[in-house]
């Protein structure tokens, strides 16, 4: 018959009490547990008589001591280089231990968590990496709106580690529930803020380094304010491009921009080639003009000085000076003429000697096949006749002057 059926004795087999109401007696439960443990290792029986099994009692004490020793030794642990041990007692932070062999109160009193403060951890924002299979874009994280209301697909890689400053490991373990998730959310917020304050062309071209620097600064400020114990080592802009839906049009824009830059470079190259030449030609013309100016001025000053000196001589001897000027002028004019007028003294005939035509026929005469001896004889004859023809011209003029 069950204890709780009608007609039973209504005694609770677990509490050992009859119909007494209320919680079980704690002292009695502890005493019964001790009695059972004593019987297990050779103690007194349930009838209250002392056991006479001495060896069994000693064996039990040895086993208990061995178990206690193993339990105490289980608190020994080793912290490798580059790691910090964080000790907690019943879940409460106690302190940090340096690398080496250490000991803490065994479980469940105390426990230790090893934190690597030199390991570089990597966080990807905007894409998921699949190793050799490639990367897959995450549109919810990658697509961002710029200041000029354009969408860009940005992929960012953040590298971080636990700071080796005091209590950084404690902050990393206890101040945030999931440091990696917190860092990813902070990174995404900082990234959207920086991208949203920049134009699309700036993000895709020359502004990458500045954007990365600004994002890293904002992430570190927020993580320090949260006291996460995380140090940002680097932020890399893996890729920044237009969304896939407008990729073709965007490629055309990039090509047009490259063509524009190429034409600008060609124009600059042409300018760098032609401008120095033009400047050199201008400088040469200026120098030539300056030289011509100096030459004309010097020539004019010389003519003035010569005229002044000649005027003084003219005032002293007018006739002689006038005749000398006439002779010099005629010599300068007739010296370039190819015609010689020969005036025979005492006659009315004037001989015309066309020296210019004679000079033109001279190469034809030399080209003919004439004996060398004849050429040698003809040469002195011409040299003798020419002075004879020229000299009378001066005598003729002198004669006419005397008449």
């Amino acid at each position: 018959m069950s204890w709780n059926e009608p007609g039973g004795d209504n005694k609770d087999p677990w509490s050992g009490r009859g119909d007494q109401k209320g919680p079980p007696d704690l002292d009695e439960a502890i005493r019964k547990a001790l009695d059972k443990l004593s019987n297990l290792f050779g103690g007194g029986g349930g009838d209250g008589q002392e056991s006479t099994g001495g060896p069994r009692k000693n064996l039990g004490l040895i086993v208990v001591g061995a178990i206690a020793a193993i339990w105490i030794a289980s608190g020994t642990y080793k912290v490798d280089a580059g790691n910090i041990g964080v000790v907690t007692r019943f879940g409460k932070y106690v302190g940090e231990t340096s690398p080496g062999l250490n000991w803490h109160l065994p479980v469940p009193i105390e426990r230790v968590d090893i934190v690597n403060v030199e390991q570089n951890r990597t966080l990807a924002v905007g894409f998921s990496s699949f190793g050799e299979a490639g990367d897959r874009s995450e549109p919810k994280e990658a697509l961002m709106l710029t200041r000029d209301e354009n969408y860009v697909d940005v992929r960012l890689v953040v590298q971080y580690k636990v700071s080796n400053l005091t209590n950084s490991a404690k902050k990393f373990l206890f101040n945030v529930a999931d440091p990696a998730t917190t860092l990813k959310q902070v990174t995404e917020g900082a990234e959207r803020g920086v991208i949203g304050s920049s134009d699309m062309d700036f993000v895709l071209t020359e502004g990458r380094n500045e954007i990365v620097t600004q994002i890293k600064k904002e992430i570190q400020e927020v993580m320090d304010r949260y006291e996460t114990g995380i140090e940002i080592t680097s932020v890399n802009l893996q890729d920044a491009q237009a969304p896939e839906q407008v990729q073709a049009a965007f490629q055309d824009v990039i090509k047009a921009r490259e063509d524009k830059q190429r034409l600008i470079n060609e124009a600059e190259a042409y300018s760098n080639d032609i401008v120095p030449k033009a400047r050199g030609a201008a400088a040469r013309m200026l120098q030539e003009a300056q030289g011509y100016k100096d030459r004309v001025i010097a020539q004019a000053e010389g003519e003035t000085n010569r005229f002044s000196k000649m005027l003084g001589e003219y005032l002293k001897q007018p006739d002689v000076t006038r005749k000398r000027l006439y002779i010099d002028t005629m010599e300068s004019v007739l010296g370039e003429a190819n015609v010689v007028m020969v005036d025979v003294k005492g006659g009315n005939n004037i001989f015309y000697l066309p020296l210019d035509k004679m000079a033109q026929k001279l190469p034809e005469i030399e080209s003919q096949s004439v004996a060398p001896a004849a050429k040698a004889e003809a040469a002195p004859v011409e040299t003798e006749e020419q002075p004879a023809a020229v000299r009378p011209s001066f005598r003729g003029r002198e004669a006419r002057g005397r008449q």
Side-chain angles (χ1 to χ4, degrees):
M1 180 181 295
S2 176
W3 66 274
N4 57 356
E5 291 183 0
D9 53 3
N10 198 24
K11 290 185 178 181
D12 187 355
W14 289 278
S15 62
R17 301 189 176 194
D19 54 356
Q20 182 181 358
K21 298 181 180 180
D25 189 358
L26 183 59
D27 294 337
E28 183 179 355
I30 294 175
R31 181 179 58 78
K32 289 182 177 181
L34 291 176
D35 290 342
K36 291 181 180 180
L37 186 61
S38 178
N39 292 333
L40 181 62
F41 293 105
D47 54 357
Q49 297 179 356
E50 294 183 0
S51 175
T52 58
R56 293 184 58 192
K57 183 177 182 180
N58 293 335
L59 180 61
L61 293 176
I62 292 173
V63 172
V64 171
I67 294 175
I70 294 173
W71 179 66
I72 294 173
S74 65
T76 304
Y77 64 97
K78 179 183 178 182
V79 179
D80 295 330
N83 295 278
I84 293 178
V86 179
V87 181
T88 56
R89 183 176 301 158
F90 297 114
K92 183 180 180 181
Y93 172 78
V94 175
E96 296 180 356
T97 55
S98 58
L101 193 62
N102 299 276
W103 181 84
H104 67 88
L105 294 176
V107 179
I109 300 175
E110 288 183 353
R111 59 170 294 176
V112 62
D113 294 309
I114 306 298
V115 179
N116 192 331
V117 295
E118 292 186 355
Q119 177 187 2
N120 277 326
R121 299 171 170 85
T122 302
L123 177 67
V125 180
F127 68 100
S128 300
S129 179
F130 293 93
E132 297 181 356
D135 300 335
R136 184 183 67 185
S137 177
E138 299 290 343
K140 292 183 179 180
E141 300 175 2
L143 290 179
M144 300 185 183
L145 189 65
T146 60
R147 183 173 59 184
D148 52 356
E149 298 182 357
N150 288 313
Y151 276 109
V152 290
D153 190 325
V154 181
R155 301 181 182 184
L156 205 67
V157 175
V158 180
Q159 291 184 341
Y160 67 98
K161 67 177 184 177
V162 180
S163 176
N164 55 6
L165 299 177
T166 305
N167 294 332
S168 294
K170 170 191 173 183
K171 296 176 181 178
F172 181 76
L173 291 176
F174 301 114
N175 286 6
V176 289
D178 190 348
T181 303
T182 302
L183 177 60
K184 188 169 186 178
Q185 294 174 353
V186 171
T187 301
E188 188 175 347
E191 184 181 5
R192 291 186 182 279
V194 175
I195 297 296
S197 60
S198 305
D199 293 335
M200 182 177 182
D201 290 340
F202 183 76
V203 175
L204 300 180
T205 54
E206 73 273 8
R208 294 196 174 198
N209 293 333
E210 184 177 345
I211 288 174
V212 167
T213 302
Q214 186 66 24
I215 290 175
K216 179 181 177 182
K217 179 181 177 182
E218 292 191 7
I219 293 174
Q220 189 65 64
E221 289 178 353
V222 175
M223 299 306 288
D224 291 343
R225 191 161 58 247
Y226 288 171
E227 295 185 352
T228 58
I230 291 177
E231 177 184 354
I232 307 299
T233 57
S234 66
V235 176
N236 300 320
L237 189 60
Q238 196 81 357
D239 191 14
Q241 59 184 0
E244 185 177 358
Q245 294 82 355
V246 295
Q247 195 64 245
F250 190 76
Q251 291 297 331
D252 293 340
V253 174
I254 294 178
K255 185 177 179 180
R257 187 185 293 113
E258 292 176 351
D259 292 340
K260 173 186 175 182
Q261 189 63 38
R262 178 178 56 81
L263 294 175
I264 291 175
N265 294 336
E266 291 178 356
E268 290 179 352
Y270 177 75
S271 174
N272 295 333
D273 177 60
I274 199 66
V275 170
K277 292 181 179 179
R279 290 176 178 173
R284 179 175 56 81
M285 293 177 65
L286 290 175
Q287 292 177 357
E288 291 178 354
Q290 185 66 32
Y292 174 75
K293 173 185 175 182
D294 296 339
R295 180 173 60 82
V296 170
I297 292 175
Q299 185 176 0
E301 291 177 352
E303 293 290 338
T304 302
N305 294 332
R306 187 175 65 84
F307 181 80
S308 299
K309 293 179 181 181
M310 189 178 295
L311 178 61
E313 297 296 330
Y314 177 80
L315 294 176
K316 293 178 183 180
Q317 298 291 336
D319 295 335
V320 176
T321 306
R322 187 183 300 110
K323 187 175 182 179
R324 181 64 182 172
L325 290 173
Y326 174 78
I327 293 172
D328 291 342
T329 303
M330 294 303 295
E331 182 179 2
S332 62
V333 172
L334 297 177
E336 298 178 358
N338 295 324
V339 177
V340 177
M341 305 298 293
V342 180
D343 186 8
V344 180
K345 184 177 181 180
N348 295 326
N349 297 327
I350 298 177
F351 293 97
Y352 169 67
L353 187 61
L355 295 179
D356 53 346
K357 294 183 178 180
M358 293 175 63
Q360 294 177 359
K361 292 183 178 180
L362 183 61
E364 298 178 359
I365 297 173
E366 291 179 354
S367 62
Q368 295 177 358
S369 58
V370 181
K375 291 183 180 180
E377 294 176 357
V381 173
E382 293 179 359
T383 56
E384 290 177 357
E385 292 178 355
Q386 190 170 0
V390 173
R391 282 196 295 269
S393 65
F394 294 103
R395 287 196 297 267
R397 284 199 293 271
E398 291 176 358
R400 287 197 302 272
R402 286 196 297 268
Q403 292 177 359

